[in-house]
Amino acid sequence: LDLPVWVTTPRGAASGPRPAIVLVHGGPWVRGGHWHWSADAQFLASRGYLVIEPEFRGSTGYGRAHMEAGFRQWGTTMQDDVADAVRWAATKGLIDGKRVCIAGASYGGYATLMGVIRYPDLYRCGVAWVAVSDPRLLLAPIWQSDMPREAREYSLPTMIGDPEKDADLLKAATPVERAREIKVPMLLAYGAEDSRVPIDHGDRIRAA
């Protein structure tokens, strides 16, 4: 798919490939970027990194087809879109393809975990905060989360996957099931009182 990509360059940077941070937005069913100040991107750019923020399939604000193309695609084509944005930037000579880190929170944290698993040679490191480490927990009826019951029963099985019909797909898209495939340094950060991504997600991925 064609997809929008936001690029923030360091001020006064010399021409030539730069080290890069791929900053993956949360949600994932939100618009990641807007034409205004972005504190995270600006901070990273001020430290010399070129920042790439892809509006991967599943992102909103670019039409229904683009959003619905992300249904049941956690860890698969949604992840491929993020990787494609990195390759595009490298092909354009914007970044040094050997000095790329992936980072994000919530779904962006999930994409960070799956990114280093699915593309072990593309990223040098990962930074994941309040990351979903097991999407199946979002669907569990007994899970302690602020996710509404209606979302767990109706919306999420369509958008992420049905816990019974799509069991194999969900297992393959679960970082805690594939933690042994992580080969690069990772920084994990979780909040003890987070009600959307409870700290059990962090405990599980750390243990794995």
Side-chain angles (χ1 to χ4, degrees):
L1 293 178
D2 289 334
L3 62 145
V5 180
W6 299 88
V7 176
T8 305
T9 57
R11 186 175 183 178
S15 60
R18 304 290 303 176
I21 305 288
V22 184
L23 200 56
V24 187
H25 71 70
W29 307 289
V30 299
R31 179 183 171 118
H34 296 271
W35 194 250
H36 59 53
W37 172 265
S38 171
D40 291 341
Q42 292 294 333
F43 172 78
L44 294 168
S46 76
R47 297 315 191 254
Y49 297 103
L50 185 139
V51 183
I52 303 167
E53 298 176 272
E55 298 280 16
F56 47 86
R57 70 191 73 195
S59 302
T60 60
Y62 301 98
R64 183 170 180 173
H66 187 75
M67 189 269 284
E68 291 186 351
F71 284 9
R72 288 183 167 87
Q73 297 300 308
W74 281 43
T76 56
T77 57
M78 292 172 74
Q79 204 67 52
D80 297 339
D81 287 346
V82 176
D84 286 345
V86 175
R87 295 192 181 107
W88 166 82
T91 299
K92 292 291 185 180
L94 299 174
I95 67 170
D96 179 348
K98 296 181 179 180
R99 292 193 293 167
V100 181
C101 182
I102 183 171
S106 192
Y107 173 83
Y110 165 83
T112 296
L113 296 173
M114 283 304 298
V116 300
I117 290 169
R118 191 171 174 88
Y119 293 98
D121 298 325
L122 191 62
Y123 306 110
R124 293 289 299 276
C125 61
V127 181
W129 61 103
V130 296
V132 174
S133 66
D134 189 339
R136 297 169 299 188
L137 295 180
L138 300 177
L139 304 161
I142 61 173
W143 185 244
Q144 297 301 311
S145 170
D146 68 354
M147 191 70 69
R149 178 181 62 83
E150 292 80 3
R152 292 198 304 269
E153 292 184 3
Y154 302 107
S155 302
L156 296 185
T158 296
M159 302 171 86
I160 299 177
D162 185 281
E164 295 182 3
K165 297 177 181 178
D166 300 314
D168 291 341
L169 180 149
L170 290 170
K171 182 177 180 179
T174 295
V176 293
E177 297 279 3
R178 303 179 61 177
R180 67 175 60 87
E181 298 175 56
I182 297 175
K183 306 298 184 183
V184 299
M186 292 289 302
L187 175 63
L188 305 174
Y190 286 84
E193 298 182 15
D194 190 332
S195 60
R196 177 55 56 89
V197 183
I199 198 168
D200 194 43
H201 281 269
D203 292 337
R204 291 187 183 204
I205 191 63
R206 180 178 63 181

